[in-house]
Amino acid sequence: MTLPYSSSAQTSPNHIVKVVMDSNDVTMEDDTKQLISAETKVKERDIISTLHESVLGHILSFVPIIDAVSTSVLSTSWIDVWTSTTNLKFDDSLLYSKKKMSKEHFVNSVEKVLLHFTNSGIQSVSLCLSSYQYDASQISEWISFFLERRVQKLHIQYADKVFLSSNSLFRCNSLVELTLQMRCTLSLPVSGCLANLQKLSISWIKLVSESESSTNSKDITLSFPILKVFEVRGCEWSQNITLQVPLLERFSIAIWKHHSNESSKYYIKVNSRRLTDFDYEGNLEQNIVLCDSSSIRNASVVIVVDEDKKDRIEKLGFQAYNHLKQINEAESLKLLFYKVLRHGKDIFTNLPVFGRLTYLQLNEVNGEALLQLLHNCPILNTLVLLNGVADLNKDVLTSASATLPRCFLSSFKVFEFKGFNANEHDLSLVKFMLENASILEKMRISPAFWLRYADIDFEKVKEQILSLPKRSSFCMVEFSDISSS
Amino acid sequence: MAEEKSQASSSKMLTLKASDGVLFEVELNIAKEMKTVQAYIDDCEDIETIPIPNVLGKHLAIVIEYIKKTNEEYDAEFEKQWNMDDLQLLLLAANYLNISGLQECLCKAIAKRIENKSPEYVRKVFNIENDHSPEEEAKLRKEYKWAFEGVDKD
């Protein structure tokens, strides 16, 4: 086959260049670089069409389908290429000629496309509707169409009312990946199963029970035998839900304020022996039961509480303990608080011991809570503080110096202090660490962004810190640039 | 995939010869990512130099580099570097050598560049000759009227 291109590389065709490329080569050798930068000019020959129709169809499957249809006029060999695509992407916010399609035009185009795929299998569908409000039944019809086509990956994003039939959903057991970001009510059967589902992500959905009885909502069991990832954001539920998910590795749930009241009456039980990653965001009111949390290695708990009611505050410590107890085998933990500082000390009345924890990240914490945490992490290696420490007074420090946390003597090596405020509390903490952590290797201090505008001589603060006594002789104290924070 | 590369139990080297005579000495497990080459090896056990008649040295070098380095970040940067001509030739190479990961990456890259462009533009970019008769083309444009309205007029 004679090739329709020429290469203006330095080497002439008969000159042999031996280029050694073994696995350990991270950088390209000069010879290779020279070769690659040579210009190739394709001399007016249509090479793309020499590829098999399936490859061309594969290219088109990354193009929004309404766009792809227009390739039918490219040449006679391109007439049907777009129909061989098995990935349909619809997005009503795409600009055509700098303008969005009108709603009617979009709906019409979608209908026309679906007509062509009535008798084909569709492998994946992405339906992103963010520009208009559509007729609820229209969208439901489209969704049913996709489910009937035995789709494997389904991604739907639509913020308005739609009715999703759980019947057609659970009948589509070809589903491997399902993402639903829709404000809708999904009525679940008492027991539902999707045998091939590996990833499930639902947002803004209200989960209710199919069974009509208003008095006694029956418990629901959902079975996803090979599910690996489950993400739930901003959803509500109004009955107990048990998830039979034996291979689940990652569970992530975020509950937003105004949904929490109803949901807190019912539990979500996660039945998996393989859970390694757990993420929670909410006000701790919900009952998330992890049947076997012994394999959790990475956890993130984000606590958002902005109520001030007294009875709420009293329960907080107890609820925090229940949530944290489930992840006490974690090796890495992010524990973040929002709006909860006022109640800070009540959260930590009772903490589990994190026997495997080596990495801990905190954002806002008061002195007492911080020290309590350090005591409960006997093999902590790295501590990252995102926003400084509040309320670290002398009394707390004196009692802390009397009984040092165990990790200070045997494992604590890295302290990253981000958002350093250069105030009395933060300085006391730095002093306390340097004085007492016997094997600390590195302390990295990054000033809070606002220090740039403050009247503080940061150089002087640096000097002060560097001159503090250090228990660990090989401890290096570094500072991030004030302008880079 | 990265792990397989770094823990190469076979440090056996193979030579690939590009269409313009450039030779590449690569480790066996890298060459195996090219299913076409794998099939060649399976057929003739003791081969030392494998001819790759359809691929220029330049593109074979890029392909080998891709196999060594591929990961999500690399993919994202990779597709930005090449012009349309190179992308097409690389796709041909990846197709011939049967490397699915690279094919996927290149299909996505090419798709990005023809998205939302008029058929006239796409024809120019790919050097496609329009062999539709005017009547045929008019008929298609009418049938898919809804797909042609509002496309970039460039």
Side-chain angles (χ1 to χ4, degrees):
Chain A
M1 167 179 149
T2 51
L3 300 156
Y5 46 76
S6 65
S7 165
S8 53
Q10 303 274 4
T11 57
S12 68
N14 293 318
H15 181 96
I16 294 168
V17 172
K18 199 160 191 182
V19 181
V20 180
M21 291 176 121
D22 64 42
S23 296
N24 296 319
D25 240 74
V26 170
T27 53
M28 262 197 256
E29 313 222 359
D30 282 328
D31 283 351
T32 325
K33 277 196 201 139
Q34 212 177 45
L35 202 60
I36 288 177
S37 59
E39 259 192 50
T40 343
K41 287 208 178 68
V42 178
K43 285 187 191 149
E44 284 155 28
R45 174 148 153 202
D46 175 7
I47 22 173
I48 200 89
S49 306
T50 62
L51 286 165
H52 192 268
E53 192 175 282
S54 60
V55 181
L56 300 179
H58 197 53
I59 296 179
L60 289 188
S61 59
F62 296 109
V63 175
I65 187 71
I66 294 174
D67 208 354
V69 174
S70 60
T71 59
S72 53
V73 299
L74 289 178
S75 77
T76 52
S77 48
W78 278 83
I79 296 181
D80 286 320
V81 173
W82 71 271
T83 60
S84 69
T85 182
T86 52
N87 293 20
L88 299 184
K89 279 180 19 172
F90 298 100
D91 189 334
D92 71 358
S93 67
L94 287 179
L95 301 178
Y96 292 89
S97 218
K98 306 203 175 91
K99 281 199 316 216
K100 267 192 241 192
M101 263 191 189
S102 75
K103 180 171 135 185
E104 292 72 32
H105 187 189
F106 181 77
V107 171
N108 183 35
S109 308
V110 174
E111 291 282 291
K112 291 270 167 41
V113 169
L114 296 189
L115 220 59
H116 280 270
F117 286 91
T118 323
N119 297 316
S120 340
I122 303 175
Q123 217 184 49
S124 86
V125 176
S126 163
L127 182 66
C128 295
L129 307 172
S130 53
S131 304
Y132 306 105
Q133 222 177 349
Y134 298 87
D135 195 20
S137 59
Q138 172 79 89
I139 308 296
S140 305
E141 237 178 70
W142 288 347
I143 298 178
S144 295
F145 180 89
F146 300 139
L147 293 171
E148 279 158 32
R149 296 274 132 353
R150 321 294 300 144
V151 70
Q152 288 180 24
K153 292 193 190 171
L154 183 58
H155 175 122
I156 303 184
Q157 198 179 318
Y158 179 54
D160 231 299
K161 251 207 171 120
V162 66
F163 176 67
L164 184 57
S165 148
S166 72
N167 252 334
S168 52
L169 183 61
F170 283 94
R171 237 183 292 149
C172 181
N173 63 4
S174 52
L175 280 171
V176 172
E177 259 184 51
L178 179 60
T179 304
L180 299 174
Q181 292 172 1
M182 326 194 304
R183 264 175 244 282
C184 75
T185 303
L186 179 60
S187 61
L188 299 170
V190 165
S191 76
C193 172
L194 284 170
N196 291 301
L197 198 62
Q198 292 183 26
K199 178 163 179 206
L200 178 59
S201 175
I202 51 175
S203 306
W204 317 324
I205 296 184
K206 187 167 173 177
L207 304 168
V208 299
S209 173
E210 228 169 42
S211 54
E212 287 295 315
S213 65
S214 50
T215 47
N216 226 349
S217 353
K218 268 190 148 161
D219 289 0
I220 288 178
T221 303
L222 299 176
S223 170
F224 305 121
I226 60 171
L227 193 70
K228 292 227 173 96
V229 177
F230 192 178
E231 292 166 352
V232 184
R233 295 187 65 79
C235 297
E236 305 173 54
W237 56 96
S238 53
Q239 55 286 314
N240 295 325
I241 301 178
T242 299
L243 301 169
Q244 297 291 6
V245 284
L247 301 183
L248 191 71
E249 292 170 4
R250 201 200 155 105
F251 182 77
S252 166
I253 183 162
I255 300 113
W256 298 328
K257 184 178 102 186
H258 48 283
H259 290 150
S260 64
N261 290 330
E262 185 66 11
S263 305
S264 52
K265 298 188 200 143
Y266 305 98
Y267 63 68
I268 293 190
K269 215 185 259 188
V270 182
N271 208 335
S272 159
R273 288 192 182 285
R274 304 258 192 111
L275 209 57
T276 56
D277 288 65
F278 177 73
D279 298 319
Y280 171 88
E281 182 182 324
N283 63 3
L284 299 177
E285 290 250 13
Q286 303 73 31
N287 206 353
I288 314 288
V289 180
L290 307 176
C291 296
D292 183 349
S293 52
S294 57
S295 33
I296 292 182
R297 295 295 167 254
N298 300 306
S300 152
V301 176
V302 178
I303 303 175
V304 184
V305 177
D306 57 10
E307 289 175 85
D308 232 342
K309 306 192 190 113
K310 187 154 189 252
D311 57 346
R312 185 71 193 88
I313 300 174
E314 282 167 358
K315 271 198 277 167
L316 217 51
F318 176 69
Q319 286 169 336
Y321 177 75
N322 278 336
H323 276 85
L324 292 175
K325 176 179 72 166
Q326 290 197 111
I327 51 171
N328 69 347
E329 302 266 355
E331 290 172 357
S332 153
L333 174 64
K334 275 193 210 162
L335 191 52
L336 308 178
F337 302 89
Y338 292 99
K339 307 181 194 176
V340 85
L341 196 54
R342 289 194 288 277
H343 322 302
K345 43 186 192 293
D346 303 299
I347 296 254
F348 292 126
T349 48
N350 199 2
L351 278 174
V353 171
F354 295 96
R356 289 184 192 244
L357 201 69
T358 55
Y359 176 93
L360 177 63
Q361 185 183 112
L362 302 167
N363 66 339
E364 310 230 333
V365 65
N366 66 25
E368 210 173 312
L370 176 59
L371 288 162
Q372 183 65 56
L373 273 167
L374 287 171
H375 271 285
N376 284 32
C377 301
I379 61 167
L380 191 69
N381 175 299
T382 304
L383 174 68
V384 177
L385 219 56
L386 295 179
N387 289 329
V389 66
D391 223 2
L392 186 64
N393 59 41
K394 272 216 173 81
D395 296 332
V396 177
L397 282 175
T398 341
S399 68
S401 306
T403 359
L404 290 175
R406 197 164 113 196
C407 56
F408 269 33
L409 304 172
S410 53
S411 59
F412 187 45
K413 290 195 180 152
V414 179
F415 179 35
E416 269 197 57
F417 202 151
K418 300 190 183 176
F420 178 71
N421 294 299
N423 61 19
E424 177 199 328
H425 307 287
D426 288 0
L427 284 167
S428 302
L429 181 63
V430 169
K431 180 160 179 272
F432 176 74
M433 294 279 191
L434 289 172
E435 276 180 354
N436 293 295
S438 343
I439 60 168
L440 191 64
E441 280 173 15
K442 182 165 123 169
M443 180 181 296
R444 188 179 177 81
I445 299 178
S446 310
F449 73 93
W450 62 267
L451 281 179
R452 241 181 291 174
Y453 312 108
D455 212 0
I456 296 180
D457 183 355
F458 199 66
E459 289 306 311
K460 219 166 167 188
V461 174
K462 275 196 204 173
E463 267 174 42
Q464 189 189 353
I465 292 177
L466 288 170
S467 65
L468 288 169
K470 291 187 227 167
R471 177 85 174 261
S472 162
S473 48
F474 40 80
C475 176
M476 284 200 38
V477 181
E478 290 170 10
F479 294 90
S480 282
D481 219 350
I482 196 166
S483 57
S484 65
S485 42
Chain B
M1 195 163 110
E3 274 163 71
E4 290 165 23
K5 289 182 219 159
S6 61
Q7 290 165 33
S9 49
S10 55
S11 50
K12 179 172 174 210
M13 302 295 273
L14 213 63
T15 304
L16 302 174
K17 182 169 167 181
S19 61
D20 48 0
V22 185
L23 295 177
F24 296 88
E25 208 176 301
V26 294
E27 280 207 24
L28 187 62
N29 55 355
I30 293 192
K32 279 181 166 183
E33 291 292 323
M34 311 180 207
K35 303 224 175 61
T36 307
V37 173
Q38 169 79 78
Y40 208 102
I41 300 172
D42 289 341
D43 271 348
C44 347
E45 281 274 317
D46 274 328
I47 194 77
E48 280 201 8
T49 303
I50 297 177
I52 314 277
N54 299 348
V55 186
L56 270 183
K58 166 181 173 176
H59 297 118
L60 194 53
I62 299 172
V63 167
I64 292 171
E65 199 62 23
Y66 178 89
I67 295 174
K68 273 167 57 178
K69 287 199 184 151
T70 186
N71 59 44
E72 255 175 60
E73 285 172 32
Y74 183 73
D75 278 13
E77 283 307 307
F78 179 82
E79 52 120 339
K80 292 185 199 156
Q81 294 175 46
W82 314 111
N83 66 26
M84 199 40 143
D85 290 346
D86 280 324
L87 280 180
Q88 291 179 63
L89 290 168
L90 283 168
L91 182 56
L92 251 75
N95 187 245
Y96 171 71
L97 295 167
N98 201 345
I99 309 169
S100 49
L102 181 56
Q103 277 192 80
E104 182 87 0
C105 174
L106 290 166
C107 281
K108 272 193 210 161
I110 294 176
K112 249 197 208 166
R113 300 199 193 182
I114 60 169
E115 214 168 62
N116 216 3
K117 301 286 187 211
S118 69
E120 290 73 34
Y121 178 90
V122 177
R123 275 195 207 115
K124 204 165 58 157
V125 149
F126 285 151
N127 291 314
I128 297 176
E129 194 194 305
N130 185 1
D131 56 351
H132 282 299
S133 72
E135 296 82 37
E136 275 169 20
E137 183 169 338
K139 198 171 129 198
L140 281 167
R141 280 183 184 263
K142 187 166 173 213
E143 188 181 341
Y144 302 132
K145 184 165 66 159
W146 41 272
F148 286 99
E149 280 158 36
V151 175
D152 269 355
K153 287 185 177 63
D154 43 28

